[in-house]
Each structure stands twice: as C-alpha cells, then as structure tokens.
Amino acid sequence: MPAWEAFQSQLHILSSHLLFPADLGETVSYSNSALRIAVLVAALSAALNAQSAPTPPPPATAPQQTKVAPVTTTVIVRGELRDDYLPDSVVTGLLDPAPLRQTPVSVDVLTRDLLNDQGIRLLSEAVKNDTSVGEDYAPVGYYGDYQIRGIPIDLATGLKINGLTIAGEQDVPLENKQEIEFVKGLAGVESGVASAGGLINFVTKRPSYITAFDTATDHRGSSFGAVDLGRFFGSRKQVGARVNLAGEHIMSYVQHADGWRGVGAGAADWRINPATTLTSDFEYQHKVERSECGYQLLGSTVVPDISRLSPSTMLGFQSWEKPNTFDTWNASSRLTRDLPRNWRAQLAASLSHSLIDDNVVYAYGNSVAGPSYFFAPDGTYDIYDYRNPGELRIDGVAEALVSGRVKTGALTHEITAGADLFLRNVRMPGFYTYASPASSDGVIQDGSLYTWVGSENIYQNDQAFPAATNSAGVAEQAGPRRLYEDNHQSSLLLQDRIRIPHGFQLIASGRFDNLRDHNSSAFATTPCITLPVGTTKAANDPCPVGEVLNSSVNTDKKLWLPQYAATYNPVSTVTLYGNYGVLLSLGPQAPWWADNGSQYLAPFFTRQAEAGVKFAPTQRMLVTAAWFRMTTPFFYPVPDGRGNFEFASDGREVHNGLELNAEGKAAHWLRLTGSLTAMNATSERTSNASYNDKQIINQPHLRSSVFADVLVPHAHNLHLMPGWSYTGLKQATRDDTVSVPSYNIFNLGARYTVGGEEGHLTFRAYADNLADKRYWKDTGANYGDTFLHLGAPTTVRLSAHYTF
C-alpha cells in the first residue's frame, strides 16, 4: 500500500506541473519533472508488483506433516524482437487487413522504431519519409493540411485511427502510436465519401508487459518527458492495459511560437472468452502555441528574396496576440467475435472531438498596391486581428462487419460484408442574428473576427498596432457559435476476394453510400449571391439584378462506389497487382474574396487506375513499385467578366506517376527506408489557355528520400543514421510562370544502446538539415489562396529511452 500511495502522490505532481502548467508564463523545471516521472515509474512498478504478488497463506496451527507447496511458473511471451523498418500487415486500404506484401494498393508504413530514431513527434515531420505525401499548409503552431499524389486530403475524412475516421483538424499525438500508414490512391470502399488522394491511418500501441521512460531535448532548450506502462491482469492474463503519458515544453525555431502540450492515452484489450475480444482506446491532448503565417507572392508574380528572410521570423507579430489553444480527444472500441466455420463478426465505434480557440495576427495581401490577395511588389502586406474561438468539429463512426470463407469448387471466396454510419458536425462563430449579421455597436462580428489593424513589410522589423476595437474603443468579438456543416453518411459495403489456383486473386468490392451534406455556413444563410455575367435568372427569383437565389448549399445523393483489384504471385516472393476505382469527395471551399466566397462546392468524382509489383528478396525486406493515373476536377478562381472571380471547377487534373519504395533490413548491418516519386500532374481542358498542360502548383516532378541505420564496424552497439531528401522545382502559379527552386536536405543521427541491442538504455542524437539550407517547403493553395512557407533550419535533437 505505501508504494501505491507514493504512485498516487507522484501522479498528482506530474499532472499538475508537467502536463498542465498554468500558462506559458509559468516557470517549469523539466529536470525536476523528469525526476518526478522517474519516481512515478518506479512507484507504479512497485505498486503493480505488490498488487500482483500472491498473498501468503496463514501458517497451519497443527500440521500433521510437511507438504511441498505446488510451484506455479508464469511464462511471459514478449514477442519477437524486430530490428527492421518493415511492418507485418496494414490495417487500412481494404476491408480486411492483409500482409503488406500482398496488399493490392500502394501503402507505406512508418514503424515505431523509425519514429524513435528520427525523433518524430508531429505528422508534418513524419510525412518527409514518403515522397508521395507532402504538406499543403502546415505552419508551425497549427494543425497541418496534407496532399497525397498531389491531391489535398479532406481533413473531415482523410485521417483515421485504427481504421476509424477522426476529425483531422488536430495534431494527433504520436506517443501512443505503433505505426503510421500512408494509403496512396483511392480507398472508397474502405472510407466512403472521402479525400481522393489517399488517407493517413494511425495504429495505436496494444497492451504488453512494458515499463519505459523517455526524455528528450533539442539545442533550443525544448523539454520532453513520457512514460509507457503496460500490464496484463486476471487469472489467465485475459485483460491487458497500457497507459502513455507525455508532456512537452516547445521551444520553436519561430520567434514567439513557443508553447507546451500534455498528452494522456490509454489502451485496453479484454479477452472475454476464447472467441470474443474487446479492444478500446482513448487519447487526449491539450496544446497551447502561437502559429506562424505564410508568405505570398509579391505583386502576384515574384517570389520573396529568400536570402533576406529568416525562418525564425513571425510575420506581423503583436504582443497582444493570443496563442492557439487545442483540446482534442479520440475514443474508439472494437468487439470481435469468432463464429463457427471460420467466420468472424466485428462491431466498432469511435468518436473524435476537436475544439480550437484559433487566434493569429494574420498576414494577408495588400489593399493598396496590386491584387488584394497578394503581398505588394515591395514586400508590404496587411495584418489582421483574426480570432475564431470555439471551432468545434466532431466525427462519429459506427460499423458492423462480418467476414468468412466460402468454397465453390476450386475457388475460395473470402467475403466481407457490412454497414457503417458516419456523422460529421462542424460549429463555428456565425452571424449575430439573421436580420443583423453584426451588432449595431460594431462589437459582435459576422462570424470570425477579421479586422485590419495595420501594414508591415517582410524586409523590415515589426511595428506595434492596437488590437481591433469599435469606434468607442471596445474590443471586437467573433459572433456566437452556430452550426456550419452537418454531414451524414450511411453505407452498405461488400467485398469478395476470390482466390484462384496458381497464385491468382480477384477482388471485387463496392460501397452503396447515402450521402447527406448540409452546409449552414455564413454563405449558406445568404439568400442572394453574385455569379458571373450570363447566369440564367429564374422568373420568380426575388434577388436584385446581378444576383441569383442561393440554392447550391445542400447535397443529397445515393451512389455506388466500385473498386476492383487483381493480384498474381508468379513466385512466393513476388506480387503483381492492379486496381481501378471511383471515389466521390466533398467539394472544396471558395476563398473569401471570390464572388461565391466561403461556398462549399458540390462533391466531385475521382477515377484511378494503378498497377504495381511488390518484391520481398528476404523475409525482412520489401521493395515496391507502382504506376498510377488519376483524373479529378481542376478548381481555381475563374474570372467572372466583371473584374472579379468565381471559385469553380473548370477542366480537370491528370496525375500520372511512378512510386518506388524500399523498407526493411537489407543486411545484418543495414536497415533502411527509401522512397522516390516521379509525377506529371497537369491541368487540362480549362477555359484559360495559359493553364492547360501546366504542372499543378506545389507538386514537383521528382522527389526522393532515403534514411538508413548503419551498424558501425568495430564500434560495438553504435549505429549511424544518415538521411537525404531531394525535392524538385515547385510551381507557385497555375500558369507555371513562377516557381521556387529545388533543394537537397541532409540529415545525420546516431544511436547507442548500453549493453547491446538487449540493453535497457538507448541514447539517440539526430540533426535535421545539417547544412542549414534555406528553402520553400510548401507553395500550396489553401481554400483557393496560395501561400509560401519556409522550411525549418538546422535542428539537433537528443533523447534517451529506458526500459525497466
């Protein structure tokens, strides 16, 4: 009992001072916090051992003879020690998990070992290992948008945990994750109405016997501490539990963007009986950090002079600027039941909750010189007091699946069938009242607060400006939170994997989706909207001349989404595959300055054909190659004939590409992960001739990346970890007249385990961007706007991992 009391005391201290400091101004001693974590681990270990120890029987009062007590031996199976970067299987991509080398889709998996070796704690750092995945507006201090195969993912549907969709507007904590899966291309049967380029799935750690402690820092003074605790309980060890706790004090390379976060996560597995298993997961993260802004082209035609800029600069910073606050949690459960004749049933449900207090001094455009949505030619830009408190996004998923085998002669049918329900709810600051969008005194705004406060220049020092106030000097506020979007999807799904003799498989699958997507944003509540000249106006349309009645805010569709694949194994080590699919995605949102500003466009179809080969030269190495062709609508601001623009679909994008990947243990002294993507992604058939047959923005023709773990000869237990990546030239305008140059990034790390690979203590050091290269990492279009983001400078990380 004293050990348990010590554990409770240390847990209280840890949660009060490490995970949740009062504010950024509180002085946090992370050396003391690390000590507390160590004490916590020791106390918890002692408490668990004390609780699990059997109670000795009372002594016999009158023994007649001496009896030898029976000896009970407990055998703990910890699993095979893996020392490569190759996972066994993938969770997503198809309805039934399959070995990675037999999956007929292009999938790249980052293992826990790889994340540890590179010191990765953000998804934006992890995506650099897969050259088909890139950033599409992921500033420091904010959650990231990403693109796969040159197509932006939809944050409403593009991120998953254990195969269940989450609200993607969050930085998913990685401390409790075992793997990150990048599924490239269409996954419509598995995902329903979703983002076209692919999806990202996080696989959580499962319960095991483990007591581990991690601590880390970097050359800027960041502090990180985490504990990983797991045990099994019950007479047959039928209940397993695992807890991950972490706290981090973030010292960012961007000035004024320091912050902190706390994470708590738990996983439980319960073997109810030999045929039934229940697994559950829960994670919560609280994060406070200011976010930076991106740059824009100067006068719409010139890239800012990178030699005069610094990655540490926060554009437009003001001392009164509040940091962003993120409160996110994700919970899920899955019940699996083995049925007679090798059939299996699954029930799963999840709920994801993202609440954000969004604040930034927003650097955007210039209202005096040139287009108002680009910086001025001399580098002058406007800054706005932007506040959007109470952004609430909730994703809910429920699914039921049954799977099994049916023999029909020489053929074996592996059938999976079921149904699922997806709910998405978005609430944002909205209008004051329908009749009066803003309050008469100018305090309560129509939606988010977005007020001009001054102008600055990217080549000069920041100036001080007051925060946004009305004419009486009262601080302006965003409007009350209202419903913005309500999305319901109910689906029936079916997959038949047909195994044919001589190494052939055919996979036919489809999803019948009933989609209801109702937009209630500020635009949706506007009765009349302006459209280009020539738009047909109904006779009974009550709107004034030049405007038409707003009717394109809701989507109700019933549709069939097919997906087909075939595989062939000429030998056991080679898999040839091909697939074809059609996917419906929700339409993007128009930029605020367009005629149809803030409108969510209609859903759109993407079609894909893919062929590939997977080769396993050894059991611990996999080499893959995939060719793909994808067609999807081309969205951009279309001139309306009156000097303005309407954000619309005009023409199409065609993405033709080749992906090469290698991962695993190539030799006893070498393990590696490598990726190369060559892609020609062009716009065509548009009404603007200057956009036809041009490479789309933010997608280079060539990207490559390689990371290796090399055992140093004659230096026992020392590993060197070199890394290199190349990104080709990226276009910054849709007519390809402006681009940013290509760049190489070199990284180097080292790992040393005291006592060999079976030792308890491992030290790691890793340096990103050794040459301190200045480069533009992102030229993407976010909600129709184009931004430029600088890459991170040299960062040196140190970490230690101890297992008890």
Side-chain angles (χ1 to χ4, degrees), residues 274-303:
T276 309
T277 302
L278 176 66
T279 63
S280 297
D281 290 271
F282 177 82
E283 63 187 38
Y284 169 76
Q285 178 170 257
H286 180 79
K287 182 178 180 180
V288 179
E289 186 177 8
R290 288 192 180 96
S291 62
E292 64 171 347
C293 292
Y295 292 81
Q296 292 181 299
L297 294 176
L298 308 186
S300 78
T301 60
V302 177
V303 176

Side-chain angles (χ1 to χ4, degrees), residues 66-404:
T66 303
K67 294 184 178 181
V68 178
V71 177
T72 301
T73 302
T74 301
V75 179
I76 299 175
V77 180
R78 298 181 183 272
E80 178 189 359
L81 178 66
R82 300 298 299 265
D83 62 345
D84 54 48
Y85 293 142
L86 182 65
D88 292 322
S89 62
V90 293
V91 174
T92 54
L94 295 170
L95 295 179
D96 53 339
L100 182 61
R101 65 187 61 187
Q102 298 178 9
T103 305
V105 293
S106 181
V107 182
D108 192 18
V109 182
L110 307 186
T111 63
R112 181 73 255 173
D113 280 350
L114 181 64
L115 301 179
N116 288 341
D117 285 344
Q118 296 183 1
I120 291 173
R121 289 195 287 275
L122 290 171
L123 181 58
S124 58
E125 300 167 349
V127 299
K128 298 174 183 179
N129 288 282
D130 191 319
T131 54
S132 289
V133 186
E135 296 183 7
D136 189 56
Y137 195 88
V140 170
Y142 204 60
Y143 61 81
D145 284 343
Y146 303 93
Q147 62 179 21
I148 303 177
R149 290 183 171 175
I151 300 176
I153 67 172
D154 178 12
L155 292 179
T157 57
L159 270 65
K160 295 174 177 285
I161 294 179
N162 296 331
L164 300 174
T165 303
I166 64 171
E169 293 83 1
Q170 59 176 293
D171 273 334
V172 177
L174 301 183
E175 285 75 19
N176 65 323
K177 304 303 186 299
Q178 188 64 30
E179 296 173 351
I180 303 176
E181 300 176 344
F182 299 121
V183 180
K184 293 167 281 189
L186 303 188
V189 175
E190 201 271 345
S191 303
V193 177
S195 49
L199 58 89
I200 301 173
N201 181 59
F202 301 88
V203 182
T204 58
K205 298 175 181 177
R206 301 318 312 159
S208 65
Y209 282 99
I210 186 171
T211 302
F213 168 63
D214 287 89
T215 184
T217 186
D218 60 36
H219 75 281
R220 298 185 185 90
S222 298
S223 301
F224 173 79
V227 290
D228 187 357
L229 310 171
R231 290 292 186 274
F232 286 94
F233 306 92
S235 59
R236 300 181 306 278
K237 307 300 181 186
Q238 67 270 30
V239 178
R242 190 162 184 168
V243 175
N244 289 93
L245 303 174
E248 182 177 15
H249 181 208
I250 305 167
M251 301 295 289
S252 172
Y253 67 85
V254 178
Q255 293 177 351
H256 315 295
D258 299 342
W260 65 274
R261 68 186 180 102
V263 177
D269 293 352
W270 178 21
R271 186 80 168 178
I272 300 174
N273 57 51
T276 309
T277 302
L278 176 66
T279 63
S280 297
D281 290 271
F282 177 82
E283 63 187 38
Y284 169 76
Q285 178 170 257
H286 180 79
K287 182 178 180 180
V288 179
E289 186 177 8
R290 288 192 180 96
S291 62
E292 64 171 347
C293 292
Y295 292 81
Q296 292 181 299
L297 294 176
L298 308 186
S300 78
T301 60
V302 177
V303 176
D305 184 355
I306 198 170
S307 66
R308 300 173 61 187
L309 305 176
S310 171
S312 65
T313 299
M314 177 175 281
L315 292 179
F317 172 73
Q318 301 295 313
S319 59
W320 42 262
E321 177 185 348
K322 291 176 58 180
N324 296 320
T325 301
F326 304 86
D327 282 287
T328 58
W329 56 263
N330 305 293
S332 65
S333 289
R334 186 180 298 272
L335 180 68
T336 303
R337 171 76 176 181
D338 292 334
L339 304 176
R341 298 182 180 179
N342 293 323
W343 281 74
R344 172 173 291 186
Q346 293 186 64
L347 295 175
S350 70
L351 189 63
S352 177
H353 181 284
S354 173
L355 177 63
I356 304 174
D357 185 5
D358 193 353
N359 308 282
V360 67
V361 174
Y362 200 62
Y364 185 90
N366 183 260
S367 56
V368 177
S372 60
Y373 37 87
F374 290 103
F375 288 179
D378 67 347
T380 300
Y381 63 92
D382 294 338
I383 60 173
Y384 296 82
D385 184 355
Y386 176 79
R387 301 177 215 160
N388 204 39
E391 295 182 17
L392 178 60
R393 299 172 177 90
I394 299 175
D395 281 19
V397 178
E399 70 174 22
L401 297 174
V402 61
S403 58

Side-chain angles (χ1 to χ4, degrees), residues 422-488:
F422 171 75
L423 305 177
R424 163 83 166 179
N425 186 277
V426 179
R427 295 179 179 271
M428 297 276 203
F431 52 81
Y432 179 62
T433 66
Y434 184 82
S436 302
S439 63
S440 57
D441 58 7
V443 172
I444 307 299
Q445 303 300 302
D446 179 7
S448 60
L449 172 62
Y450 187 74
T451 301
W452 181 87
V453 295
S455 297
E456 296 190 358
N457 191 284
I458 61 173
Y459 302 126
Q460 298 174 4
N461 294 329
D462 291 337
Q463 303 177 49
F465 297 100
T469 60
N470 70 351
S471 57
V474 179
E476 295 181 6
Q477 303 176 29
R481 189 166 68 189
R482 299 183 182 277
L483 178 67
Y484 254 54
E485 184 183 15
D486 183 59
N487 181 287
H488 292 186

